[in-house]
Amino acid sequence: MNLFLKYITFSLAGLFGIVHTSCQNGTKNPSKPNVIIILADDLGYADVGFNGSPDIKTPYIDQIAKNGIHFTNGYVSYAVCGPSRAGLITGRYQDQFGFSRNPLFAPKDVSQGLPLSEQTLAEALHTVGYKNMAIGKWHLGAHKTQRPLERGFDEFFGFLSGGHRYFPKDLNRNDISEVTAQFDAYNTKILQNNTRIDEQEYLTDAFSREAVNFVKTNAHQPFFLYLAYNAPHTPLEATEKYLSRYPEIKNEKRKTFAAMVSAVDDGVGNILKTLRELEIEENTMIFFLSDNGGNESKGANNGSLREGKGWLYEGGIRVPFAMQWPSVIKKSQKFEHPVISLDIFATVAAQSKINPKNPLDGVDLIPYLTGHMSQPPHEAIFWRHYDRDAFAVRTGASKYVKDRNGKKGLFDITKDISESNAVPDSLEIQKLKAQYDAWNSSNIPPQFDGLMQNKSYNQTHPNRFKDVEKY
Ligand code: CA
């Protein structure tokens, strides 16, 4: 085909693509798909139906995988909440900017959160006219310069800390000026933008309600919804409505955990239903994933994966991960190559024609998901656990891990998903270690004391909770 014909074909395809999309979605901005990221908290790999959960039922979350892509090798950039979220929201390895620990709840300390030099996906989408809302757990800084409304979101409904109580009766601290210890923040009233409100519903249901309202209100324009449920993160708290779905589960922790996941699943169902009713599902990209692997001592199930939350074995970093975008991506596909949460920013940026402020570490997945490219999206994926001098690197089937206890091993992940048989291939180990060192050479040390330093931080910051502004 000569160049001219190619151009004509391309243009016609583009034109029909636009007409097709425009008609189906009723949107004036077909080139700007709506974006919804649904992030679960501490959900294990085998805690969803599409990854074979034997006991938890997730019919609506499973629909996302059925309507699009089931990523079997979907990773996050870290094995605990804060750093993983920093990676997700910036599209960059968080070690590049020193967000390598869970931040402390310290509203007067500007260093405890996402550096202002970083651009969030919401800030990037603002540059092309999106309306953005964050719902749920923030955990990227409680300082007044780092809250969601300062980081690109037009609306916020949720809380600033790393976790929260679920029942309205426990939301008994009026605002952050009444927080006097790290975990007190779990009891604060919920924030609606800058106002503390008296929420009456079970927290997960409240977040789903607000998500549906945001979609309804903004259906006529490109929007980005960052729906970061804190479920099923501890404390394990569920209502009878969801507990009653699991009479056969006898273990109380597991039963409550399952019920909490069901609440998330109902929320996903309500959002999907709303998108369909408004006829905007076709041009909405929905990503579903967990921020890190499950903690099996707190009710989660990582299936065959080794270890869990806090570890760089698969159980800590490989998560339930699915996506749908019906107008572009064919349904019922499995994608086996490794992908990472950082790819979400890169994918959205490419599709929404954003020029990101900082270099991204992720990859636009769309050409791979539509079959235009067949090689793996990533040559290598890396993880660093700075405080334990631990790391992991995966290239193709090979993964080399130095774990938090200093134990090293090379594994063939495609044959040995449980990382149980270390392969004594010193040449391959050398190669992977060299790749890791090259990547790590541009990283910086953590820029703040984290949750593990809570005690020493209190000693060096005796006024941490004194004279905190009401908010
Ligand atoms: Ca988490």
Side-chain angles (χ1 to χ4, degrees):
M1 201 187 293
N2 68 33
L3 269 179
F4 177 70
L5 273 176
K6 260 190 182 171
Y7 175 72
I8 293 288
T9 311
F10 177 76
S11 303
L12 285 175
L15 184 64
F16 284 121
I18 286 169
V19 169
H20 172 78
T21 315
S22 181
C23 291
Q24 278 196 330
N25 306 322
T27 167
K28 289 174 191 163
N29 293 290
S31 64
K32 293 179 183 166
N34 305 312
V35 178
I36 301 179
I37 299 175
I38 304 169
L39 190 63
D41 197 350
D42 291 10
L43 185 67
Y45 189 74
D47 286 327
V48 291
F50 70 80
N51 275 348
S53 173
D55 50 359
I56 301 182
K57 295 179 273 286
T58 56
Y60 297 113
I61 297 170
D62 295 348
Q63 277 188 23
I64 297 175
K66 279 187 204 141
N67 293 339
I69 309 267
H70 168 195
F71 296 104
T72 57
N73 286 248
Y75 291 100
V76 285
S77 60
Y78 199 58
V80 301
C81 317
S84 172
R85 285 153 200 268
L88 171 69
I89 209 75
T90 60
R92 286 155 54 75
Y93 283 114
Q94 62 281 352
D95 304 291
Q96 299 264 319
F97 48 91
F99 201 124
S100 307
R101 293 169 176 154
N102 258 330
L104 287 166
F105 187 79
K108 294 198 296 184
D109 186 347
V110 69
S111 76
Q112 290 286 347
L114 192 68
L116 299 175
S117 55
E118 294 302 310
Q119 184 185 44
T120 69
L121 179 55
E123 287 165 338
L125 286 168
H126 249 181
T127 66
V128 290
Y130 275 68
K131 180 84 180 288
N132 307 320
M133 181 170 193
I135 295 177
K137 167 164 153 178
W138 180 239
H139 209 198
L140 294 169
H143 188 268
K144 59 186 173 188
T145 61
Q146 289 171 324
R147 296 166 188 168
L149 299 186
E150 309 302 319
R151 300 312 310 260
F153 290 97
D154 302 288
E155 292 182 54
F156 175 54
F157 186 94
F159 59 90
L160 301 169
S161 56
H164 217 274
R165 303 294 295 260
Y166 292 86
F167 295 132
K169 70 176 174 56
D170 296 321
L171 311 184
N172 48 22
R173 288 180 194 268
N174 287 313
D175 57 63
I176 59 175
S177 71
E178 296 184 10
V179 171
T180 56
Q182 173 68 23
F183 291 99
D184 282 1
Y186 276 45
N187 294 83
T188 49
K189 289 185 178 179
I190 295 304
L191 267 172
Q192 182 163 40
N193 298 322
N194 291 318
T195 308
R196 294 279 168 182
I197 56 141
D198 287 307
E199 178 54 52
Q200 300 300 321
E201 282 197 271
Y202 176 59
L203 197 54
T204 302
D205 293 342
F207 292 158
S208 302
R209 177 196 72 216
E210 295 299 319
V212 166
N213 286 344
F214 175 75
V215 169
K216 281 183 179 165
T217 309
N218 294 283
H220 61 287
Q221 64 181 86
F223 65 78
F224 167 40
L225 172 61
Y226 174 58
L227 175 54
Y229 287 109
N230 56 315
H233 188 291
T234 53
L236 297 178
E237 295 174 343
T239 52
E240 194 51 37
K241 174 181 174 188
Y242 302 112
L243 287 165
S244 66
R245 293 180 190 176
Y246 296 100
E248 70 285 1
I249 302 181
K250 300 302 172 205
N251 178 297
E252 279 303 313
K253 272 189 197 169
R254 182 64 179 166
K255 186 189 182 97
T256 310
F257 185 97
M260 293 168 83
V261 177
S262 265
V264 171
D265 192 62
D266 275 25
V268 172
N270 287 341
I271 292 162
L272 289 172
K273 181 168 162 270
T274 305
L275 292 168
R276 278 166 206 157
E277 282 169 3
L278 296 166
E279 299 182 345
I280 56 171
E281 184 184 16
E282 292 287 313
N283 201 33
T284 300
M285 301 169 90
I286 308 176
F287 299 89
F288 178 89
L289 72 165
S290 178
D291 68 335
N292 50 255
N295 186 338
E296 294 193 332
S297 70
K298 292 175 179 169
N301 179 7
N302 297 316
S304 310
L305 307 186
R306 183 170 174 178
E307 295 292 352
K309 180 177 182 179
W311 291 80
L312 299 186
Y313 292 116
E314 297 290 279
I317 52 178
R318 196 199 286 210
V319 294
F321 202 144
M323 143 184 215
Q324 69 166 64
W325 186 16
S327 66
V328 172
I329 295 170
K330 276 190 269 181
K331 59 166 75 172
S332 300
Q333 298 188 68
K334 256 190 193 182
F335 194 78
E336 308 275 1
H337 292 305
V339 300
I340 186 163
S341 50
L342 311 180
D343 297 333
I344 294 174
F345 194 133
T347 300
V348 171
Q351 302 310 313
S352 302
K353 316 286 187 296
I354 297 168
N355 289 316
K357 176 184 161 193
N358 296 313
L360 300 179
D361 291 322
V363 172
D364 172 17
L365 294 176
I366 300 304
Y368 300 90
L369 304 181
T370 52
H372 290 94
M373 294 174 91
S374 56
Q375 66 269 45
H378 293 271
E379 192 201 341
I381 296 179
F382 306 98
W383 298 266
R384 180 182 79 158
H385 184 165
Y386 183 88
D387 285 334
R388 299 295 283 264
D389 195 25
F391 68 88
V393 49
R394 178 166 175 188
T395 73
S398 288
K399 182 178 166 198
Y400 182 56
V401 186
K402 182 185 174 203
D403 77 16
R404 52 195 286 177
N405 295 331
K407 196 171 176 193
K408 297 171 187 168
L410 174 72
F411 304 97
D412 182 333
I413 291 296
T414 51
K415 291 188 191 136
D416 177 20
I417 195 175
S418 302
E419 298 168 280
S420 50
N421 298 302
V423 184
D425 183 341
S426 54
L427 268 183
E428 181 74 356
I429 289 172
Q430 231 174 15
K431 194 187 95 189
L432 264 64
K433 177 69 170 53
Q435 280 181 289
Y436 174 78
D437 288 340
W439 171 75
N440 192 36
S441 66
S442 63
N443 289 332
I444 63 172
Q447 299 297 291
F448 52 79
D449 289 337
L451 194 54
M452 297 299 167
Q453 294 81 33
N454 187 38
K455 209 173 154 187
S456 59
Y457 184 88
N458 282 339
Q459 283 160 2
T460 52
H461 298 75
N463 296 322
R464 172 180 174 184
F465 296 112
K466 293 214 175 84
D467 304 319
V468 172
E469 276 178 58
K470 286 189 179 191
Y471 179 76

